[in-house]
């Protein structure tokens, strides 16, 4: 099988090669507060020099602190680990009785993506990013055919996926403003770079913004700048 495109072909968001960890770690640039820097993020969102009246910078490793610690990668079903997925209602239901497609997130810091629905299939990628949002597009017994934010598809065992904590990845050409309120004239709390994974706290179905958390900061971000939530989806 031919492996996924090279980093130069796919771009920074899909950095890595087959059997290589996909971490996707950019940064959050703060407008208020002072946060310490963690290790420099690879591939995406390297920390940049602060502008005049400088905001400090926050590595996306700090943003990941909002997502709970998870178990080590395992493809063996355990009694206390199960897929808990929720998604907006839709006309197409998978064998599980849940809508297709739907968004979930990685439950562990190390998860294998395979080229087919079973451990007999080779590993195509190893993800090392707990909380990374994924979209389930197909189901086969205990396996889910998922798509990551860069468009890479493969199969992951259901025990390694969860929607108990919904996450999303920031998209767009440049930094997105994190606002105190979901109004155009609201004050900015921070600027968030594309590629940052945030926790979804609230998305009103008729709203254009979602309330999110990145590290210790909360605010409202345009729904259109988030990969991991559908238009009109209600998240509370």
């Amino acid at each position: 099988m031919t492996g996924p495109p090279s980093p130069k072909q796919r771009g920074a968001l899909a950095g890595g090669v087959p059997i290589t960890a996909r971490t996707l770690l950019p940064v959050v640039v703060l407008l208020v507060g002072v946060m310490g820097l963690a290790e420099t993020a690879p591939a995406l969102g390297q920390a940049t020099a602060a502008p005049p009246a400088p905001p400090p910078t926050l590595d996306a490793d700090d943003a990941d602190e909002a997502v709970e610690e998870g178990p080590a990668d395992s493809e063996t079903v355990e009694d206390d680990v199960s897929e808990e997925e929720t998604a907006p209602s839709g006309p197409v239901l998978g064998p599980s009785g849940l809508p297709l497609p739907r968004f979930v997130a990685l439950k562990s810091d190390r998860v294998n993506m395979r080229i087919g629905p079973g451990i007999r299939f080779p590993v195509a990628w190893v993800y090392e990013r707990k909380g990374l949002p994924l979209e389930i597009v197909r189901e086969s017994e205990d396996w889910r055919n998922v798509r990551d934010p860069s468009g890479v598809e493969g199969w992951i065992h259901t025990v390694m996926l969860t929607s108990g904590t919904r996450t999303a990845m920031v998209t767009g050409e440049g930094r997105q403003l994190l606002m105190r309120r979901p109004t155009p004239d609201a004050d900015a709390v921070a600027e968030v770079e594309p590629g940052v994974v945030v926790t979804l706290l609230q998305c009103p179905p008729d709203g254009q913004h979602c309330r999110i958390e990145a590290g210790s900061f909360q605010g409202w971000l345009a729904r259109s700048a988030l990969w991991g939530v559908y238009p009109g989806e209600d998240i509370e």
Side-chain angles (χ1 to χ4, degrees), residues 37-56:
L37 284 174
E39 61 181 352
T40 302
L44 277 177
Q46 299 292 336
T48 56

Side-chain angles (χ1 to χ4, degrees), residues 6-214:
S6 67
K8 290 185 179 179
Q9 294 171 317
R10 187 169 293 281
L13 179 60
V17 295
I19 320 304
T20 297
R22 294 171 58 79
T23 52
L24 308 178
L25 300 176
V27 299
V28 178
V29 181
L30 306 184
L31 297 181
V32 294
V34 178
M35 298 291 291
L37 284 174
E39 61 181 352
T40 302
L44 277 177
Q46 299 292 336
T48 56
T57 58
L58 172 65
D59 192 281
D61 285 338
D62 293 315
D64 288 342
E65 292 176 1
V67 184
E68 298 179 6
E69 295 280 332
D73 182 27
S74 172
E75 291 173 342
T76 302
V77 179
E78 299 177 6
D79 291 339
D80 60 345
V81 183
S82 60
E83 181 186 22
E84 298 177 359
E85 302 166 350
T86 57
S89 298
V92 179
L93 299 180
S96 67
L98 296 172
L100 291 175
R102 63 185 182 275
F103 284 110
V104 291
L106 291 180
K107 189 181 289 187
S108 173
D109 281 324
R110 186 174 178 83
V111 177
N112 291 334
M113 175 186 275
R114 297 180 180 273
I115 67 171
I119 59 174
R120 67 185 182 280
F121 292 97
V123 175
W125 295 95
V126 177
Y127 287 88
E128 294 183 346
R129 188 69 187 277
K130 184 181 187 299
L132 182 71
L134 299 170
E135 185 177 33
I136 295 178
V137 294
R138 292 173 58 198
E139 299 178 342
S140 178
E141 297 183 348
D142 292 331
W143 293 82
R144 302 293 181 261
N145 186 195
V146 299
R147 179 185 300 122
D148 76 11
S150 62
V152 173
E153 290 192 24
W155 293 83
I156 294 178
H157 198 282
T158 183
V159 300
M160 305 311 299
L161 303 171
T162 181
S163 64
T165 299
R166 284 289 299 274
T167 64
M169 178 173 282
V170 179
T171 62
E173 296 297 326
R175 294 171 178 171
Q176 303 291 330
L177 290 178
L178 184 63
M179 313 299 288
R180 292 188 185 279
R181 298 181 306 279
T183 58
D185 59 346
D187 295 332
V189 175
E191 291 180 335
V192 189
E193 287 194 350
V196 169
V197 174
V198 301
T199 301
L200 296 174
L201 303 177
Q202 181 183 1
C203 292
D206 57 350
Q208 300 301 311
H209 295 76
C210 290
R211 189 164 66 92
I212 63 99
E213 182 177 64

